[in-house]
Amino acid sequence: MIAYKTVNARERVELDKLSILCYVDSEDFSKQTPPEDGEAVSPQETGRAAFVDGKMAAALEYIPYRVQFDGHQVDIVGIGGVATLPEMRNRGLIRGLMTGVFEEARQRDMPFAWLYPFSHKFYRQFGYELGQTHLEASFPMSALRDFPRQGSMHMWQPGDDLGDFIAVYQAFCRGKNMAVARTDKLWKRHFNFDPYRDRRYAYLYRDENGVPGAYMVLKAQPVDGEGGMYVQQCAYTSMDNLRHLLGWLKSLDAQVARMRWRLPDTVIPQFSDIDALSIRMVSGGMNRIIDAGRVLDMMKKPQGTGEAVFSLHDDQLPDNSGTYRIQWQDGQGEVTRTSAPAPASIDIRALAQLAIGFRGFADD
């Protein structure tokens, strides 16, 4: 007998053990004390598990958060910690868990699910498709241009106010689909470090008028076998502010030999020696549309007047399947279901890319 449920306090320990086992990690559970009320289910509990004959066999984490999408802020679900006991695999347990969390998310008005895959092929069977890539570069400091250093840099210290960092981040993310709308809790998590203990540093750039314009979070670690820094976060409000930030960054060449950075496309032209960069493309997250009708409603509509009719196919969530008509005029539009013949057909995975702008409609 298979049962799917949100885990209680006692089962949370079993989920943690399952995750440790499947991800070949380690933790000492011997000193943990049993929860006082083991049957209680916390409203904040993110664990969802599959039980086979009463034994936890597979699990995942259901993590709600908020992102930007075509001018809207929408709640979505992040999926993480997907794991199945080795002896319980190939029984469809993850498919059952996915179906359950998709239904739960849809009831909570969450139109997307997002995850970071160990295998793209594995998650495509559940309707996910690649929604993000990065260009990761390692480079010597000499590859940076000599931009003028105007304005001032300020190193963040634990306890400092994060308001200026937040303002820069929000300006940087404006118009970027699937950018996370960070809560106070998320900001505290991102800045939960001590620069002197953790060798992790956050710097804020202010222009000559004292207005915050860019920031960068760096982690000291070897890069290609040399002393280096890894850029963990970077945001900026304009290209000029980015260039001033890069001008300051190059001043670290006395103590830093190389850097590693997942570059936004706009950064690459700012290097003086492109040939000095070692670049590889790395996968980001995968997107899954849970409520196609709502996604199509929220999508930006073209200027002018027109309509499109297409059929959508979704194996796992049949409520998404059907024929849709989109009519628009000067950026406003209406989405309806129709029984009219559809001149075009699309799979839910392709729509997952098209909706967020990862692919264009003209792409093959």
Side-chain angles (χ1 to χ4, degrees):
M1 177 180 176
I2 301 175
Y4 300 96
K5 57 177 284 191
T6 302
V7 302
N8 59 33
R10 174 180 52 80
E11 293 161 345
R12 163 49 68 177
V13 179
E14 295 305 311
L15 189 155
D16 292 340
K17 288 181 177 180
L18 185 153
S19 181
I20 290 290
L21 177 64
C22 294
Y23 286 93
V24 199
D25 207 341
S26 63
E27 185 172 335
D28 184 3
F29 289 93
S30 63
K31 297 180 181 179
Q32 288 193 9
T33 57
E36 292 184 4
D37 186 358
E39 302 304 314
V41 177
S42 167
Q44 287 75 45
E45 178 56 63
T46 60
R48 308 292 186 268
F51 294 80
V52 178
D53 297 330
K55 178 183 177 181
M56 187 182 296
L60 54 76
E61 301 287 350
Y62 175 104
I63 306 167
Y65 62 102
R66 182 166 288 187
V67 301
Q68 298 188 59
F69 174 64
D70 275 6
H72 307 270
Q73 284 203 356
V74 295
D75 293 319
I76 73 169
V77 60
I79 304 297
V82 180
T84 307
L85 290 174
E87 65 271 28
M88 293 291 185
R89 291 172 184 170
N90 300 312
R91 299 190 183 193
L93 299 177
I94 296 301
R95 181 172 294 278
L97 279 170
M98 286 287 184
T99 299
V101 298
F102 292 161
E103 291 173 354
E104 180 179 352
R106 187 166 184 142
Q107 290 171 5
R108 295 186 178 187
D109 206 21
M110 296 176 174
F112 297 107
W114 191 269
L115 57 73
Y116 293 91
F118 77 94
S119 163
H120 295 88
K121 180 180 178 181
F122 179 78
Y123 286 108
R124 283 189 178 110
Q125 66 182 311
F126 307 121
Y128 285 91
E129 192 48 87
L130 183 63
Q132 183 185 47
T133 57
H134 304 281
L135 293 178
E136 184 176 88
S138 66
F139 53 90
M141 301 300 286
S142 59
L144 288 165
R145 294 183 187 274
D146 291 310
F147 289 114
R149 281 179 271 164
Q150 300 175 357
S152 58
M153 297 296 298
H154 306 266
M155 190 178 96
W156 173 86
Q157 301 278 359
D160 286 353
D161 183 72
L162 291 173
D164 288 342
F165 288 87
I166 294 171
V168 171
Y169 176 83
Q170 290 176 342
F172 177 72
C173 291
R174 195 169 295 125
K176 293 180 172 65
N177 279 344
M178 310 311 283
V180 177
R182 292 180 182 173
T183 61
D184 289 343
K185 183 178 179 180
L186 274 177
W187 275 106
K188 289 176 181 178
R189 184 185 304 171
H190 279 289
F191 280 75
N192 182 28
F193 60 87
D194 183 311
Y196 307 103
R197 179 193 66 211
D198 302 316
R199 299 200 307 160
R200 191 175 171 194
Y201 317 97
Y203 286 93
L204 178 75
Y205 166 76
R206 292 193 177 98
D207 67 19
E208 293 172 304
N209 296 315
V211 178
Y215 76 83
M216 183 172 280
V217 179
L218 301 165
K219 170 70 175 177
Q221 63 183 46
V223 176
D224 301 333
E226 300 183 72
M229 290 275 192
Y230 175 59
V231 180
Q232 295 186 317
Q233 296 183 52
C234 180
Y236 42 91
T237 60
S238 70
M239 290 305 300
D240 281 343
N241 287 332
L242 171 64
R243 294 184 185 105
H244 294 315
L245 180 68
L246 294 179
W248 165 82
L249 188 66
K250 188 165 185 178
S251 72
L252 300 180
D253 59 357
Q255 66 201 87
V256 178
R258 294 185 69 84
M259 301 202 75
R260 188 179 305 278
W261 189 354
R262 290 191 172 181
L263 299 169
D265 293 341
T266 51
V267 175
I268 292 179
Q270 314 309 318
F271 287 88
S272 62
D273 185 3
I274 299 295
D275 292 334
L277 276 67
S278 176
I279 299 178
R280 68 186 185 105
M281 180 171 285
V282 295
S283 163
M286 296 184 80
N287 185 34
R288 210 293 180 201
I289 290 179
I290 295 173
D291 187 339
R294 184 164 178 236
V295 169
L296 292 169
D297 273 334
M298 290 188 295
M299 284 177 64
K300 288 182 178 177
K301 308 301 187 294
Q303 294 298 313
T305 302
E307 76 167 28
V309 179
F310 64 92
S311 63
L312 179 65
H313 184 67
D314 188 339
D315 282 333
Q316 189 160 8
L317 297 178
D319 284 350
N320 283 332
S321 295
T323 302
Y324 293 82
R325 173 182 279 120
I326 306 175
Q327 298 172 301
W328 65 86
Q329 182 172 356
D330 297 330
Q332 303 298 312
E334 181 181 19
V335 179
T336 56
R337 298 274 191 134
T338 179
S339 58
S345 179
I346 191 172
D347 179 83
I348 193 67
R349 293 187 298 273
L351 184 60
Q353 294 185 320
L354 292 167
I356 63 175
F358 183 74
R359 286 178 61 187
F361 284 92
D363 294 344
D364 290 334

